[in-house]
Amino acid sequence: MARLTGTDGAGEVAERIRARRGGTLRPLDRMLLHSPPLADGWNSLLGAIRQRTALPADLRELVILRIAVLNRADYEWVAHEAEARAAGLGPAQLDALRDEHADAHPALDERQRRTLAYTDAMTRHVHVPDEVFDALHDHFTPAELVELTATVAAYSMVSRFLVALRVELPTPAATGTPDTAHRRTT
């Protein structure tokens, strides 16, 4: 059960969020709207990460789902599994994200494994060893490295917000996710 009741979603900021989301508000949005200035900034930041970066969608969704697993943020998995599939991640890759050693899983290619090693280091330890960062240089431009880092940082923030406030899971209709996606993350 959520620790706070979501808002009714009224006002200018709520309309901007609805515009980015295709007309609907999710439980996360309703929680954020307790503080419209915060919700507005959040919407701008996450809108930029989701819609205005060069980072490929499959890697962005790989990062988001891995953070969902690491931080036990079920909401995040439910909200992004369908998007990950649409971005080209298959069942074996999605299952690999639940593996403790996903950064070595054979279902993932080298770029994905290196991305996960970076995601894991940032999420679990904050400090990233030089060898983990240096391994990314063959796969990413400087702009993509900045965008990857911002994506990991932002979705770590998202997951912590969701988990701390126990934001209720979004409905499948709101996310385009089939009901079968509501399995628990480990």
Side-chain angles (χ1 to χ4, degrees), residues 1 12 35 37 40 56 67 69 74 77 79 106 109 115-116 123 138 152 164 168-169 175 179 181:
M1 174 174 232
E12 244 180 72
S35 173
D40 206 20
I67 292 168
V69 170
D74 293 342
W77 187 279
D109 66 31
T115 298
L116 288 180
T123 305
D138 291 341
V152 175
E168 63 191 55
L169 294 176
T175 63
D179 286 326

Side-chain angles (χ1 to χ4, degrees), residues 17-162:
I17 296 169
R18 278 188 184 89
R20 182 174 72 86
R21 294 244 193 235
T24 62
L25 293 177
R26 294 182 180 178
L28 169 60
D29 304 322
R30 292 183 184 284
M31 193 67 69
L32 286 164
L33 283 163
H34 280 289
S35 173
L38 177 66
D40 206 20
W42 187 292
N43 186 50
S44 293
L45 173 63
L46 275 290
I49 288 172
R50 305 239 346 109
Q51 299 162 346
R52 296 190 302 272
T53 64
L55 190 67
D58 65 320
L59 292 178
R60 181 190 65 236
E61 296 304 323
L62 187 89
V63 164
I64 294 168
L65 291 180
R66 182 61 175 171
I67 292 168
V69 170
L70 294 175
N71 291 340
R72 296 185 302 273
D74 293 342
Y75 181 112
E76 207 64 67
W77 187 279
V78 170
H80 285 271
E81 182 178 5
E83 292 186 46
R85 289 179 188 278
L89 297 177
Q93 292 162 318
L94 294 177
D95 287 344
L97 295 175
R98 291 187 167 93
D99 189 306
E100 174 66 22
H101 302 287
D103 63 334
H105 201 284
L108 303 170
D109 66 31
E110 183 179 359
R111 188 176 194 204
Q112 291 169 331
R113 288 192 300 270
R114 289 181 180 195
T115 298
L116 288 180
Y118 189 59
T119 300
D120 284 11
M122 281 186 67
T123 305
R124 288 179 168 162
H125 310 293
V126 182
H127 296 278
V128 176
D130 288 340
E131 62 272 10
V132 171
F133 184 78
D134 293 345
L136 297 171
H137 285 286
D138 291 341
H139 299 279
F140 296 95
T141 66
E144 289 172 327
L145 285 170
V146 167
E147 292 170 358
L148 173 61
T149 303
T151 300
V152 175
Y155 278 92
S156 291
M157 173 187 71
V158 172
S159 68
R160 285 169 169 81
F161 184 90
L162 292 165

